[in-house]
Amino acid sequence: CGEVLDMARRVKRLGFPDWLLNNECVISVDTEELNEDGETVVYKTEPMKCIFDEASKTVFTADGKRVTLAGTVIVKGDFAPALPILSSGTVTVNGRTMQIYSAARPRNPDGTVHHTEFEVM
């Protein structure tokens, strides 16, 4: 048991399963800024490979609105390192464009971002 703990303490970065990146996607993330027309400014639109886990799930927002989520999109690393918060945008996978409902950036033991995960609706 002691050897396993020592080995776990030495791990700084977890490997990413690149072989699971089997879907083409285009991710467009909005900033919190508005342009002169009052529209949100797009930070980044980039085609890339992703993991798409299509799983329908119903959740309720803070104001009680019912939302059906279509699945989860995962990309390697930090998709938008300059943005402290990923709050809105779109993801197109397999010709289907979905709105970003939420985003997460799980971290490696050394503090770097392992992957970016988008829940889409």
Side-chain angles (χ1 to χ4, degrees):
C1 187
E3 288 179 33
V4 173
L5 287 176
D6 287 339
M7 185 174 67
R9 287 187 189 112
R10 288 192 300 261
V11 173
K12 301 297 180 205
R13 288 191 184 195
L14 304 171
F16 188 87
D18 291 319
W19 56 276
L20 289 176
L21 296 169
N22 57 6
N23 289 281
E24 295 288 336
C25 68
V26 177
I27 300 174
S28 178
V29 174
D30 302 328
T31 67
E32 299 293 316
E33 302 171 35
L34 299 177
N35 65 16
E36 56 273 352
D37 296 327
E39 300 167 339
T40 56
V41 177
V42 174
Y43 166 74
K44 186 178 187 179
T45 300
E46 187 171 318
M48 58 192 341
K49 292 282 207 171
C50 71
I51 300 168
F52 180 49
D53 181 21
E54 192 171 7
S56 188
K57 173 172 81 170
T58 301
V59 296
F60 292 92
T61 62
D63 59 355
K65 183 179 173 185
R66 182 179 172 183
V67 175
T68 301
L69 302 179
T72 304
V73 174
I74 298 171
V75 295
K76 185 177 181 176
D78 193 348
F79 179 76
L83 295 181
I85 297 172
L86 300 175
S87 59
S88 66
T90 60
V91 178
T92 302
V93 180
N94 302 327
R96 182 176 170 196
T97 301
M98 300 163 278
Q99 295 291 318
I100 294 173
Y101 174 75
S102 68
R105 295 177 177 143
R107 298 197 176 264
N108 286 307
D110 68 358
T112 59
V113 175
H114 182 263
H115 64 273
T116 306
E117 186 173 312
F118 299 99
E119 283 191 302
V120 294
M121 55 183 184

